[in-house]
Amino acid sequence: MSKEAIVSFVNAKKTFKTKGKEQVAVRDVSFDVKEGEIFGIVGKSGAGKSTLIRLINALEKVDSGKVLVDGKDITKMNYSQLKHIRKDIGIIFQHFNLFDSKTVFKNVEFPLKIQSKELGLSDGERQKTVLELLDFVGLLGYEKHYPSELSGGQKQRVGIARALATSPKILLADEATSALDPETTVEIMRLLKKVNKEFGITIILITHTISVVRLICERVAVMSEGEVVELDTYKNVFKNPKSDAAKSLVNVFKILEGDGSLHE
Amino acid sequence: MSSLFSAGKTDWSIIGPALIQAVQETLYMVMLTLLIGGILGMILGCILWSTRKGSIFSNPALYKVLEFIVNLVRPIPFIIFLSAVQPLTITIVGTSLGTTAAIFPMCIFCTMATSRIVEQSLINVDYGVIEASYAMGASRLKTLFWVVIPEVMPPLVLGYAFIFIGIMDMSAMAGTIGGGGLGDFAIQYGYNKFNPIITWISVGIILVIVQCIQQFANFLAKKLLQH
Ligand SMILES: Nc1ncnc2c1ncn2[C@@H]1O[C@H](COP(=O)(O)OP(=O)(O)O)[C@@H](O)[C@H]1O
Ligand SMILES: [Mg+2]
């Protein structure tokens, strides 16, 4: 028995119009992400990865096609339905997007306050939740710190705690480690793996390098010019890339990781 | 009258109470303008920012209209603006003379200036935090009040100190239409009576008030910026 789809793209299409010029960001994409998996989306920058992932929580709206989240079409929702489903979709960003004017505690508490009607937590329960989350990401004791006092890795940990606050079913990660050094990248990936294992949260992870995908993803979609040109297990894509985009990504990975070299 | 006319001689029994009254009038005009114009300017500034193209309530047509009005009023020299809106002042305040009447044009000017400062501060907010807020389910208004405005508190505090100094400037000019205050006092008892000491006393008091506010704003902004 295969697991159920938690996110489905059905002929999703998104075009941006800037100054009269049309830029297709996502062009007729259809695929499923299954419940509980860690799914990677790789591709060069400008391939349309961010736009695609932002269709899932409706930060962008499709021009045509459907995006089903937990079986419900997110493209047809009004604000209150969107608010409800956004509780189930956490997101972390490349540049963290923490609220600089708020303490670590207040950052993590923010989604709980926004969703207070849906969650119905008392002040005490809310406080307990925040502290549990900070403990989970290894930042207990940092409640009163401000984001500017933290390292990049710590900031992303706060981002993760904040994204998990409302107990989402899905966690979206948009280049979550692209601004971090390799060691911190591994730490954060380890943490994401733990999120997936302990809470069974589906993770959809975007990256422009295959090395990040290799760390934790089971299946990967390779994107190029707004299209998914290849979709398979990480192992198959890595061993036997079929599309030009996948071949190029694997090739670059091998050069950078030591299998290849630019020396003559 | 003749005793006051003698240059250099300062009759404190007359000037003392007049000075105290002038300080009170200045503070009354400035504080009330800062309160009313500051709040209206905050609201107008938020509307300007949020109706910009691509902003949270993107409405380029409304933005253009508001921007046009703000840009129309702001470059008018205040002393000319005062007489230009005199009919309106009479309609709304009932008179065009006195301290309260002076506050009306001051508030209009203050609203316009504040709105631009608020807008400029808000523009610096990274769109990423706005998106993060939406992604957590926040509405646009909640995002404005809970995220965007708190993020720009330090520059806003400094912006308001800047506005305060502008209002002091306006209040001195408003003195000429019977608004009273330190500007009027300096002209009436100092300049017109050839008594520079009086003028310098007014200047000194204005400097002290401005410095107090500026130092307080710096302290507050620094406190807010500590993170
Ligand atoms: N808000 C936007 N307005 C206009 N064009 C955009 C916008 N967002 C993305 N694009 C364009 O869509 C394409 C895909 O962008 P994006 O999804 O950010 O790619 P990736 O995340 O893979 O780098 C790019 O050509 C980009 O310039
Ligand atoms: Mg991107």
Side-chain angles (χ1 to χ4, degrees):
Chain A
M1 277 292 289
S2 69
K3 286 186 227 163
E4 288 209 26
I6 190 155
V7 174
S8 305
F9 293 99
V10 185
N11 303 113
K13 195 177 170 216
K14 174 74 189 178
T15 306
F16 290 105
K17 287 176 203 75
T18 31
K19 293 178 198 121
K21 261 177 65 183
E22 289 209 346
Q23 170 71 45
V24 181
V26 173
R27 161 191 334 253
D28 198 19
V29 165
S30 302
F31 70 89
D32 292 346
V33 175
K34 299 197 179 92
E35 201 172 345
E37 75 175 326
I38 302 184
F39 189 92
I41 301 174
V42 242
K44 285 201 296 197
S45 82
K49 308 179 298 291
S50 294
T51 308
L52 185 68
I53 211 179
R54 290 145 56 86
L55 294 175
I56 300 171
N57 58 0
L59 283 179
E60 300 288 359
K61 293 232 160 174
V62 288
D63 297 327
S64 61
K66 282 193 277 191
V67 180
L68 306 177
V69 177
D70 221 4
K72 286 165 285 228
D73 189 356
I74 197 151
T75 63
K76 304 243 156 41
M77 289 185 181
N78 60 27
Y79 170 67
S80 74
Q81 291 168 312
L82 258 185
K83 179 179 177 180
H84 182 80
I85 200 143
R86 278 174 172 166
K87 185 174 66 65
D88 295 332
I89 312 169
I91 183 166
I92 55 175
F93 304 89
Q94 177 173 4
H95 298 294
F96 323 120
N97 295 351
L98 299 179
F99 307 128
D100 289 334
S101 61
K102 296 181 177 32
T103 59
V104 165
F105 185 93
K106 294 269 182 200
N107 264 277
V108 179
E109 191 191 31
F110 186 83
L112 296 173
K113 283 195 153 167
I114 291 295
Q115 300 282 0
S116 62
K117 275 208 198 89
E118 309 259 343
L119 297 165
L121 296 179
S122 69
D123 284 1
E125 287 167 327
R126 210 165 54 213
Q127 181 160 354
K128 192 166 154 267
T129 307
V130 173
L131 294 178
E132 280 168 3
L133 285 158
L134 287 177
D135 189 25
F136 178 78
V137 298
L139 283 179
L140 208 54
Y142 284 83
E143 299 86 273
K144 292 202 173 72
H145 285 62
Y146 285 89
S148 63
E149 300 166 324
L150 305 179
S151 69
Q154 289 172 325
K155 283 182 191 168
Q156 197 55 291
R157 285 166 186 274
V158 177
I160 292 171
R162 186 176 70 173
L164 296 179
T166 54
S167 310
K169 295 177 184 157
I170 305 164
L171 178 63
L172 309 175
D174 188 349
E175 305 273 10
T177 55
S178 297
L180 304 174
D181 60 63
E183 279 175 3
T184 315
T185 297
V186 173
E187 263 176 43
I188 294 294
M189 286 301 147
R190 210 169 258 145
L191 182 58
L192 291 181
K193 181 92 198 167
K194 194 168 109 178
V195 167
N196 174 256
K197 255 192 149 168
E198 285 191 21
F199 306 125
I201 294 175
T202 309
I203 297 178
I204 303 176
L205 187 147
I206 294 182
T207 164
H208 58 269
T209 64
I210 209 148
S211 58
V212 169
V213 168
R214 183 174 73 142
L215 291 172
I216 57 170
C217 296
E218 290 134 41
R219 292 200 306 150
V220 221
V222 180
M223 268 192 99
S224 175
E225 290 175 22
E227 280 175 291
V228 171
V229 290
E230 198 160 336
L231 195 158
D232 208 333
T233 60
Y234 165 74
K235 279 189 185 128
N236 287 344
V237 171
F238 190 69
K239 270 196 204 131
N240 185 19
K242 295 187 184 72
S243 61
D244 288 346
K247 281 178 191 159
S248 157
L249 286 165
V250 170
N251 197 26
V252 166
F253 170 77
K254 285 186 172 160
I255 291 171
L256 290 174
E257 303 295 308
D259 267 28
S261 166
L262 295 181
H263 288 295
E264 305 284 296
Chain B
M1 201 64 175
S2 61
S3 68
L4 271 172
F5 242 98
S6 48
K9 232 174 149 203
T10 311
D11 184 351
W12 283 106
S13 65
I14 296 172
I15 287 173
L19 179 63
I20 291 169
Q21 197 195 340
V23 171
Q24 284 171 345
E25 284 165 350
T26 290
L27 289 177
Y28 172 73
M29 280 191 284
V30 170
M31 291 305 171
L32 214 58
T33 303
L34 187 66
L35 186 73
I36 299 170
I39 290 172
L40 292 177
M42 181 79 198
I43 295 169
L44 182 57
C46 287
I47 296 175
L48 275 170
W49 173 77
S50 56
T51 55
R52 272 175 165 264
K53 193 161 179 272
S55 190
I56 61 174
F57 292 105
S58 178
N59 188 338
L62 178 60
Y63 179 78
K64 283 233 170 68
V65 171
L66 294 176
E67 194 195 30
F68 177 76
I69 295 170
V70 172
N71 285 346
L72 194 72
V73 173
R74 281 216 314 154
I76 304 173
F78 184 65
I79 194 120
I80 295 170
F81 181 75
L82 266 180
S83 47
V85 294
Q86 193 186 27
L88 202 60
T89 310
I90 293 173
T91 316
I92 291 179
V93 189
T95 169
S96 67
L97 293 172
T99 316
T100 306
I103 288 172
F104 175 69
M106 283 171 73
C107 282
I108 297 180
F109 234 67
C110 176
T111 301
M112 301 298 169
T114 307
S115 71
R116 261 289 137 96
I117 284 182
V118 170
E119 185 198 8
Q120 290 305 318
S121 303
L122 295 176
I123 282 174
N124 291 321
V125 172
D126 176 17
Y127 197 71
V129 297
I130 297 172
E131 284 208 314
S133 173
Y134 287 163
M136 289 181 257
S139 65
R140 292 183 286 185
L141 271 182
K142 272 208 174 134
T143 300
L144 176 63
F145 288 116
W146 290 16
V147 174
V148 178
I149 294 174
E151 288 291 296
V152 296
M153 273 324 266
L156 270 187
V157 167
L158 293 176
Y160 271 96
F162 182 77
I163 292 287
F164 181 90
I165 295 167
I167 302 173
M168 287 293 284
D169 194 21
M170 285 195 286
S171 78
M173 287 185 253
T176 58
I177 59 152
L182 281 164
D184 184 40
F185 175 80
I187 299 288
Q188 209 181 314
Y189 294 100
Y191 189 80
N192 289 348
K193 308 279 192 295
F194 303 100
N195 190 345
I197 295 172
I198 295 296
T199 312
W200 282 105
I201 288 174
S202 311
V203 171
I205 294 173
I206 290 171
L207 283 181
V208 167
I209 295 174
V210 166
Q211 276 303 313
C212 285
I213 293 293
Q214 186 67 58
Q215 291 308 320
F216 175 68
N218 288 352
F219 165 79
L220 203 63
K222 211 168 160 192
K223 192 111 190 159
L224 289 166
L225 255 182
Q226 232 141 50
H227 28 278

